[in-house]
Amino acid sequence: KAHTTIHLAKGCVIRGKVIAADGSPANAGALEQRNARGQFGPSGVIGADGTFRWSRLAAGAVTLRAWPWKSAPSEPRTFACAEGVHVDDVVFELPGGEPALQGTIVDASGAPVPFAFIDVQPLDHPTFAQQERADAAGRWHVYDAPPGRYELTATASGAGIASQVVVAPHADVQLQLGGTGRIEGTTTDL
C-alpha cells in the first residue's frame, strides 16, 4: 500500500458579487487576474447569480476584474493576499453603455442558435482577441471593442461555423452558421 501525506494551507480567499450598472446581478462569466505583463486573463468564475469566490496560496498583491458575458469589464481592484486572509463582500460594478458590436447567430435555416460562441479578433489595432457567448435567443454583444475592423467567428456544436469581417461600432450583425454534413465516397489504391 502506498501512503500519501497531504498538507493543507490557509490560502487567500476573496468573495463577493458582480452587479450591473442598474444594481442587478451580473451574468455568469470570468473573474480575471492581471499578470506581470499587465494583461488580464481568466482566473476564476462568476456564477449565474453574479457571485464569485476566488482563492490562491501565494502571498502578495493581486489585481482582479470581473468580465461577465455580454458586458464590459469592471474596473480592476488590487488586494493584498497573505496566508489566511479572507476578503468578503467585494462588489465589482460593471459600467453601463452601448455595445460596440451586437447581433444574432442563426443556423442555416435562419433559426436563432442559443449559447453559440463568438471569437472576436481585432484586425486594425493591437488589442487582444476576446470571446463572447450568445444568450438563449442567439443574441450577442461585445462591449470592449474600439472602432475598427474585427473578424467574428461563430461556432455551435452540430450547427457549423460562420466567419465575417465587420467594422465597429456595428449593430444588427447576423452571423449565419453554415450547417454540418458528411462526406461519402470510395477510396482506391490503398
Side-chain angles (χ1 to χ4, degrees):
K1 277 186 166 178
H3 294 279
T4 301
T5 302
I6 299 174
H7 297 278
L8 301 177
K10 293 181 179 179
C12 175
V13 178
I14 300 171
R15 287 186 281 230
K17 63 183 177 180
V18 183
I19 59 172
D22 65 4
S24 64
N27 297 316
L31 196 63
E32 296 188 330
Q33 180 179 349
R34 184 171 20 217
N35 64 23
R37 295 181 308 246
Q39 302 163 337
F40 283 92
S43 181
V45 175
I46 302 166
D49 62 353
T51 61
F52 66 88
R53 181 184 184 280
W54 182 89
S55 63
R56 78 172 189 179
L57 292 176
V62 61
T63 301
L64 302 173
R65 73 177 183 185
W67 198 348
W69 298 111
K70 296 176 66 174
S71 72
S74 71
E75 287 294 320
R77 292 185 56 187
T78 301
F79 303 91
C81 276
E83 183 178 332
V85 167
H86 285 243
V87 182
D88 293 318
D89 302 320
V90 172
V91 177
F92 283 106
E93 187 173 338
L94 303 173
E98 293 296 316
L101 295 165
Q102 62 182 317
T104 55
I105 298 177
V106 297
D107 64 16
S109 70
V113 177
F115 309 116
F117 288 95
I118 304 98
D119 292 315
V120 182
Q121 180 66 49
L123 299 175
D124 293 333
H125 36 77
T127 58
F128 296 97
Q130 57 183 294
Q131 187 178 70
E132 272 299 332
R133 189 172 186 194
D135 63 16
R139 292 184 307 264
W140 55 272
H141 302 83
V142 175
Y143 284 82
D144 198 24
R149 293 178 309 134
Y150 293 84
E151 181 175 16
L152 305 175
T153 304
T155 58
S157 180
I161 188 168
S163 184
Q164 183 176 339
V165 174
V166 299
V167 177
H170 194 128
D172 301 325
V173 176
Q174 182 172 313
L175 298 171
Q176 187 165 20
L177 301 176
T180 61
R182 65 179 193 219
I183 299 173
E184 290 186 33
T186 305
T187 58
T188 59
D189 298 328
L190 290 179

